[in-house]
Amino acid sequence: MPVGTQATVKGLSQRDLWDDLQARIILGNTYHLFLRPGHELIRQLGGLHRFMSWPGALLTDSGGYQVFSLSGLRKITDEGVTFQSHLNGDTHKFTPASTVDVQLAFGSDIMMVLDECPEYPVSREYARVSMDRTIRWAGEAFSHYRERMQSVPTRNALFPIIQGSMFPDLRRECTSRLLDLDADGYAIGGLSVGEPRPLSMEMVEASVPELPRDRPRYAMGVGMPDELPEYVARGIDMMDCVLPTRNARNGWLFTSEGRVVIKHAQYRDDPGPLDPACDCYTCRNYSRAYLRHLFQAGEILFASLATRHNLQRYLDIMGAIRQSILLGEFPRYLRDLQSRSTFRNGVTAKEPSGGIE
Amino acid sequence: MPVGTQATVKGLSQRDLWDDLQARIILGNTYHLFLRPGHELIRQLGGLHRFMSWPGALLTDSGGYQVFSLSGLRKITDEGVTFQSHLNGDTHKFTPASTVDVQLAFGSDIMMVLDECPEYPVSREYARVSMDRTIRWAGEAFSHYRERMQSVPTRNALFPIIQGSMFPDLRRECTSRLLDLDADGYAIGGLSVGEPRPLSMEMVEASVPELPRDRPRYAMGVGMPDELPEYVARGIDMMDCVLPTRNARNGWLFTSEGRVVIKHAQYRDDPGPLDPACDCYTCRNYSRAYLRHLFQAGEILFASLATRHNLQRYLDIMGAIRQSILLGEFPRYLRDLQSRSTFRNGVTAKEPSGGIE
């Protein structure tokens, strides 16, 4: 899922996303949209789909992650979390029920429960306290959600979020306790917070086997291109990540032949496409030399062309995975990939890839 | 002509310009492209059209205007102008012949001669000295151009530039002396440098009657939407201006009902299109409320959607003018417009609209 934090995927129009990239679901950030332009305004203007003119599906997070990563003074209690806006310092409060209401005002197709996403590393004691709270909040969110659903004419899904930091037994316990909610899908949160990659995978492995096979499983805030098939191999259906879009704007491009850091002098006079194997608008029309020029000159068009390509790369990978599964060839696809990849070397991402644009 | 200073019209892709806006000619700035990425690199990569993947026509200025407005220490002599790059302080020299060579390296369809564009106001004495130099430079540029044309397989036009500051007799003299060059077209420079609007019109009126009727006349660096028909009424065929694009990025939008300053609170919950009479992608798909949100949030998509609309507005005006001329109704079109416009009030533009993006 491309990340569209403030009701826009940075650098692209909705037509670019829908017609060109054929993205069908994107993510919006509740924390940001709650603060600006505000959920009441969005409701009044017909919901987030109409507000941003997006014909596809929308998933919104609960805002919890951003409260912890972005806002000023914050205070967490059993009831919810009080925080200061990073925009103007105003004080607000999110509760499990209020974040459901905010997301219903957006008209999100998939809503997320308020959770606490602990930093990495935390003690086992804190991880348990936090996990217990996340589970209690999920219960409160679902009670409120089921009540609201009686009067809401649309069908909005609500996913609980599995936490438990990097402790497999807590992950397993959290998963099995959340199953009682009989949700339409389940998310695994608390990944990409700075931990080594093998640990993220281990947490997914601890959670997924418990989850019902007929409900989507969503790994939040992951990952690098060569990690996507690894998550799928572990039973994940959905992912979102700021890496393709944020890295694009910083000139870090993902291609079928590896990464291209476009500012490097070697691309100065390179007349070839960014990725000869890619069919995106950028690769069909522009050279590496032109992209480098736009990047060096700080031109807006760079962000747009680079974002377009990186998202295409991610969507192509997901498309290839889907195709290989349909053909019964996913195990071979994965083996081929692993033999070429650095993934198994246990490289640690330099910075958390979760979070917002 | 949309302005594409650094081989890109800020915020738009070449497809946006060509397919959506149906722009057929855009302007590039020689000064900028000479400094970065450099004309030799552009030549090596197949010229500016191929470099930026632009299927339409390209006009480039001579760089003179930017040398005077942007660069650091500069020294003007009869030979040319020596200047320091605003990017890194390197010293360079433009001569009438060298700027033709640079523009031939770009492969520009329409090239401009090196000229001196005096600031406003200047003394009559300085205006004459400067005009004489501009005429001498035009002669040198044309000699070099005709020589180079013997060996260049393409057909590139070169336009001389009429100067003379705000002195009608100097403008007339300059025009008549430049006619000897028998150029494919003629430009009127030195406008939009801070002078009151009626004075710009007067300078055009002093120059145009002398010009051959079968060659395009180009007013450089103008103007506001309601000025376009006024220039056409005075015999102008071509104009370029940074106003539609630069103002767009600053949230100042031109509509058929007047200007919209999108940050104003009145648009916060306005569900209507920016301009109900406009058929651009922006107006067909997005509300004023959404545009205001994007602007307030500093989102890239705002620049793109706003630029698209403002350019559409300019191109629509030019299209309506063209249509009314073909139907023999331009005088009525102009009268209708003037009765509704503030133009005749002699309002002075707050800042020069010439220059670069």
Side-chain angles (χ1 to χ4, degrees):
Chain A
M1 279 182 288
V3 175
T5 295
Q6 304 194 101
T8 164
V9 173
K10 291 188 192 306
L12 297 186
S13 72
Q14 277 66 304
R15 187 174 65 177
D16 296 332
L17 283 165
W18 183 258
D19 288 352
D20 280 17
L21 294 173
Q22 307 207 8
R24 292 298 174 256
I25 179 167
I26 62 176
L27 178 145
N29 285 117
T30 291
Y31 171 84
H32 288 80
L33 294 169
F34 167 81
L35 292 179
R36 182 175 59 196
H39 62 296
E40 285 303 342
L41 181 71
I42 290 177
R43 184 211 307 273
Q44 176 191 334
L45 290 165
L48 192 51
H49 293 79
R50 181 175 296 181
F51 178 63
M52 64 183 291
S53 195
W54 173 243
L58 280 169
L59 181 148
T60 46
D61 61 8
S62 70
Y65 184 95
Q66 277 76 43
V67 166
F68 293 102
S69 61
L70 274 188
S71 74
L73 287 177
R74 60 176 183 267
K75 194 172 165 234
I76 190 166
T77 65
D78 282 348
E79 251 183 273
V81 54
T82 306
F83 61 95
Q84 283 193 323
S85 160
H86 73 294
L87 296 176
N88 60 10
D90 284 356
T91 300
H92 300 278
K93 184 173 187 176
F94 279 164
T95 68
S98 81
T99 54
V100 165
D101 286 337
V102 168
Q103 293 175 83
L104 282 174
F106 296 154
S108 310
D109 300 290
I110 302 178
M111 311 184 290
M112 306 298 296
V113 298
L114 185 65
D115 65 329
E116 183 188 347
C117 176
E119 55 190 15
Y120 173 79
V122 287
S123 70
R124 187 184 169 81
E125 290 64 39
Y126 190 79
R128 166 162 290 284
V129 170
S130 168
M131 180 195 83
D132 283 339
R133 180 155 48 215
T134 285
I135 294 170
R136 202 163 51 244
W137 282 357
E140 289 169 33
F142 265 80
S143 302
H144 186 71
Y145 161 71
R146 300 215 195 275
E147 198 183 306
R148 287 292 315 273
M149 280 296 108
Q150 308 296 324
S151 58
V152 169
T154 52
R155 169 104 172 80
N156 311 78
L158 179 65
F159 287 12
I161 302 174
I162 299 162
Q163 293 287 356
S165 188
M166 301 303 154
F167 303 97
D169 59 325
L170 294 186
R171 289 279 174 177
R172 269 188 297 272
E173 180 186 333
C174 189
T175 308
S176 95
R177 287 167 63 188
L178 289 173
L179 287 182
D180 295 340
L181 298 171
D182 190 29
D184 285 322
Y186 291 86
I188 304 178
L191 305 177
S192 292
V193 289
E195 78 282 10
R197 290 180 188 185
L199 209 47
S200 334
M201 295 293 159
E202 205 187 321
M203 293 310 107
V204 170
E205 286 163 6
S207 305
V208 165
E210 310 270 342
L211 292 172
R213 293 177 65 90
D214 62 345
R215 314 280 165 92
R217 300 95 174 252
Y218 165 29
M220 302 182 81
V222 298
M224 289 286 281
D226 60 357
E227 294 170 339
L228 306 183
E230 297 289 342
Y231 282 109
V232 172
R234 285 159 179 80
I236 293 299
D237 302 297
M238 302 167 61
M239 291 168 263
D240 76 282
C241 196
V242 297
L243 282 179
T245 39
R246 190 169 59 193
N247 283 11
R249 297 196 303 282
N250 295 329
W252 181 297
L253 303 163
F254 298 113
T255 79
S256 60
E257 295 166 347
R259 70 156 191 260
V260 167
V261 180
I262 201 70
K263 75 174 173 194
H264 287 171
Q266 70 189 97
Y267 305 120
R268 185 177 170 277
D269 58 356
D270 187 338
L274 178 53
D275 184 347
C278 179
D279 194 40
C280 79
Y281 171 70
T282 304
C283 291
R284 277 186 286 110
N285 290 280
Y286 303 98
S287 64
R288 291 173 166 190
Y290 182 62
L291 292 172
R292 180 176 188 273
H293 164 67
L294 293 178
F295 181 76
Q296 297 290 91
E299 283 287 350
I300 299 174
L301 183 56
F302 178 79
S304 163
L305 294 179
T307 301
R308 212 178 283 242
H309 168 77
N310 269 3
L311 284 178
Q312 182 73 62
R313 176 79 192 129
Y314 268 64
L315 293 167
D316 280 353
I317 292 170
M318 293 309 292
I321 292 173
R322 210 174 292 122
Q323 182 73 358
S324 74
I325 291 172
L326 289 172
L327 296 172
E329 291 173 358
F330 181 65
R332 195 171 71 192
Y333 172 90
L334 193 65
R335 269 198 312 276
D336 286 355
L337 206 76
Q338 286 169 342
S339 68
R340 289 183 280 119
S341 149
T342 58
F343 174 75
R344 280 291 161 192
N345 301 335
V347 178
T348 306
K350 285 214 189 75
E351 55 170 333
S353 65
I356 51 86
E357 278 285 85
Chain B
M1 280 181 288
V3 175
T5 295
Q6 304 194 101
T8 165
V9 173
K10 291 188 193 304
L12 296 186
S13 73
Q14 278 65 304
R15 187 174 64 179
D16 296 332
L17 284 164
W18 183 259
D19 288 352
D20 279 16
L21 294 173
Q22 306 208 9
R24 291 297 176 257
I25 179 169
I26 62 176
L27 178 145
N29 284 116
T30 292
Y31 171 85
H32 288 81
L33 295 169
F34 167 82
L35 292 178
R36 183 176 59 195
H39 62 296
E40 286 302 341
L41 180 73
I42 290 176
R43 185 212 307 274
Q44 176 192 333
L45 290 165
L48 191 50
H49 293 77
R50 180 174 298 178
F51 178 63
M52 63 183 292
S53 195
W54 173 243
L58 280 168
L59 181 148
T60 47
D61 62 8
S62 70
Y65 184 94
Q66 278 75 42
V67 166
F68 293 102
S69 61
L70 273 189
S71 74
L73 288 177
R74 61 177 181 267
K75 197 176 162 228
I76 190 165
T77 64
D78 283 349
E79 253 182 273
V81 54
T82 306
F83 61 96
Q84 283 193 322
S85 159
H86 73 293
L87 297 175
N88 61 11
D90 284 356
T91 299
H92 300 278
K93 184 172 187 177
F94 278 166
T95 69
S98 81
T99 53
V100 166
D101 286 337
V102 167
Q103 293 175 83
L104 282 175
F106 295 155
S108 310
D109 299 291
I110 303 179
M111 311 184 290
M112 307 299 294
V113 297
L114 185 65
D115 65 329
E116 184 188 346
C117 177
E119 56 190 13
Y120 173 80
V122 287
S123 69
R124 186 181 172 79
E125 291 63 39
Y126 189 79
R128 167 162 288 285
V129 169
S130 167
M131 179 196 83
D132 283 339
R133 183 158 42 219
T134 285
I135 295 170
R136 204 163 50 244
W137 282 357
E140 289 169 31
F142 265 80
S143 302
H144 186 72
Y145 161 71
R146 301 218 194 273
E147 198 183 303
R148 288 290 317 273
M149 279 295 109
Q150 307 296 324
S151 58
V152 170
T154 52
R155 170 108 170 76
N156 312 77
L158 179 65
F159 286 13
I161 302 173
I162 299 163
Q163 292 288 356
S165 188
M166 302 302 155
F167 304 98
D169 59 326
L170 293 186
R171 289 276 175 180
R172 270 190 295 273
E173 180 185 333
C174 189
T175 308
S176 96
R177 286 168 65 188
L178 289 172
L179 286 182
D180 296 341
L181 297 171
D182 190 28
D184 286 322
Y186 291 85
I188 303 177
L191 305 176
S192 291
V193 290
E195 78 281 8
R197 289 180 188 189
L199 210 46
S200 335
M201 295 294 160
E202 204 186 323
M203 294 309 106
V204 169
E205 286 163 6
S207 304
V208 165
E210 309 270 343
L211 291 172
R213 293 177 65 90
D214 61 347
R215 313 282 164 93
R217 300 94 173 252
Y218 164 31
M220 302 181 81
V222 299
M224 288 288 280
D226 61 356
E227 295 170 339
L228 305 183
E230 298 289 343
Y231 282 109
V232 172
R234 285 157 180 81
I236 294 298
D237 302 297
M238 303 167 62
M239 290 168 264
D240 77 281
C241 196
V242 298
L243 282 180
T245 39
R246 190 168 59 194
N247 283 11
R249 298 195 302 281
N250 295 329
W252 182 295
L253 302 162
F254 299 112
T255 79
S256 60
E257 295 166 348
R259 71 156 191 259
V260 167
V261 180
I262 201 70
K263 74 175 173 192
H264 287 170
Q266 72 188 97
Y267 305 120
R268 185 177 170 276
D269 57 357
D270 187 337
L274 177 53
D275 183 347
C278 179
D279 193 41
C280 80
Y281 171 70
T282 303
C283 292
R284 277 186 285 111
N285 290 279
Y286 303 98
S287 65
R288 291 172 168 192
Y290 182 63
L291 291 173
R292 180 175 188 273
H293 164 67
L294 294 178
F295 181 76
Q296 297 291 91
E299 283 288 350
I300 298 175
L301 183 57
F302 178 79
S304 164
L305 295 178
T307 302
R308 213 177 285 241
H309 168 77
N310 269 4
L311 283 178
Q312 183 73 63
R313 176 78 191 130
Y314 268 64
L315 293 167
D316 280 354
I317 291 170
M318 293 309 293
I321 292 173
R322 210 173 292 122
Q323 182 73 0
S324 74
I325 291 173
L326 289 172
L327 296 172
E329 293 173 356
F330 181 66
R332 194 172 70 194
Y333 171 90
L334 192 65
R335 269 197 313 277
D336 287 354
L337 207 74
Q338 285 169 345
S339 67
R340 288 184 280 121
S341 149
T342 58
F343 175 76
R344 281 290 160 193
N345 302 335
V347 178
T348 305
K350 285 214 191 74
E351 55 168 333
S353 66
I356 50 85
E357 279 283 85

